[in-house]
Amino acid sequence: MNQTVTYVNIMLESLQRKKKYLEEILQLTKKQEELAKAKKFDEDAFGEIIDQKEILINNVNEIDKGFTSVYERVRTEILEDKEIYATELKNMQLLVKQCVELGMEIEVLEERNRATLEQVFSIGFKGIKQVKQSKQVANKYYQSMSNGNVNDSIFYDRKK
């Protein structure tokens, strides 16, 4: 039973760390939103945030694996003595609820960011296409002018 109390405390600490990591991921996602909406898109800063989020997501996944592993060890003991662990179980339920809410908020914000980034990139590609077309037109113009393909015959009177 003493060992079960230790495991329950480990599970509570795991959920608290998971919540902390999810809050950090949410903050980084909000920073990504700001970068995506900025007039000039900063790829380097965006990439750094992605790297930071990847580390945090890996931490959350490890916490989930550890939590599941510990829970499987003590599940039967906890279910047999629910009254003893009632406070801890309520705290865990609250933390799980908060983690789910944070996850949903992150997911909604990520979807919004994805849509914003698609617009940013499509505008960027349109701009690149226009620049490329403008260069092609200018090149053709300069080519035609430098080749001397101008029809000078209108300036000559052939009847003379």
Side-chain angles (χ1 to χ4, degrees):
M1 179 159 154
N2 191 21
Q3 193 175 20
T4 304
V5 171
T6 303
Y7 284 139
V8 168
N9 287 333
I10 288 171
M11 291 186 333
L12 271 170
E13 289 173 15
S14 296
L15 288 172
Q16 290 167 345
R17 279 195 329 232
K18 180 178 179 177
K19 180 183 172 197
K20 185 185 100 184
Y21 288 142
L22 288 172
E23 288 170 342
E24 289 179 36
I25 291 170
L26 179 63
Q27 293 306 314
L28 290 172
T29 306
K30 287 179 180 179
K31 286 181 184 177
Q32 280 181 319
E33 180 181 36
E34 292 171 11
L35 288 173
K37 290 182 178 180
K39 290 189 180 199
K40 186 175 184 298
F41 184 71
D42 187 353
E43 290 180 45
D44 294 333
F46 200 83
E48 287 176 23
I49 290 174
I50 289 173
D51 293 341
Q52 292 172 357
K53 282 175 64 174
E54 184 178 356
I55 292 168
L56 292 170
I57 290 169
N58 288 336
N59 290 343
V60 167
N61 290 335
E62 288 299 315
I63 287 172
D64 285 343
K65 287 179 190 174
F67 183 88
T68 302
S69 172
V70 171
Y71 179 73
E72 289 302 318
R73 288 184 189 168
V74 295
R75 180 172 55 108
T76 55
E77 293 176 38
I78 290 174
L79 293 176
E80 289 174 0
D81 296 324
K82 286 183 183 179
E83 301 82 32
I84 296 174
Y85 305 107
T87 305
E88 290 86 355
L89 290 173
K90 284 183 182 180
N91 288 338
M92 279 190 233
Q93 287 174 338
L94 178 64
L95 286 168
V96 167
K97 181 183 176 196
Q98 291 171 344
C99 288
V100 168
E101 289 171 354
L102 283 168
M104 289 173 36
E105 190 175 351
I106 291 167
E107 192 174 329
V108 167
L109 194 54
E110 285 284 356
E111 186 60 32
R112 227 182 308 153
N113 286 351
R114 185 186 63 76
T116 303
L117 286 173
E118 283 179 358
Q119 287 179 336
V120 167
F121 291 142
S122 71
I123 289 169
F125 288 134
K126 284 179 185 174
I128 291 170
K129 186 177 179 181
Q130 286 176 336
V131 168
K132 189 175 179 181
Q133 286 176 343
S134 297
K135 283 185 179 182
Q136 286 175 344
V137 169
N139 284 338
K140 285 182 182 179
Y141 172 76
Y142 290 128
Q143 263 183 340
S144 66
M145 294 307 289
S146 66
N147 287 339
N149 290 339
V150 179
N151 192 353
D152 291 333
S153 63
I154 59 171
F155 295 114
Y156 298 108
D157 188 5
R158 293 183 186 240
K159 291 184 181 178
K160 285 187 184 179

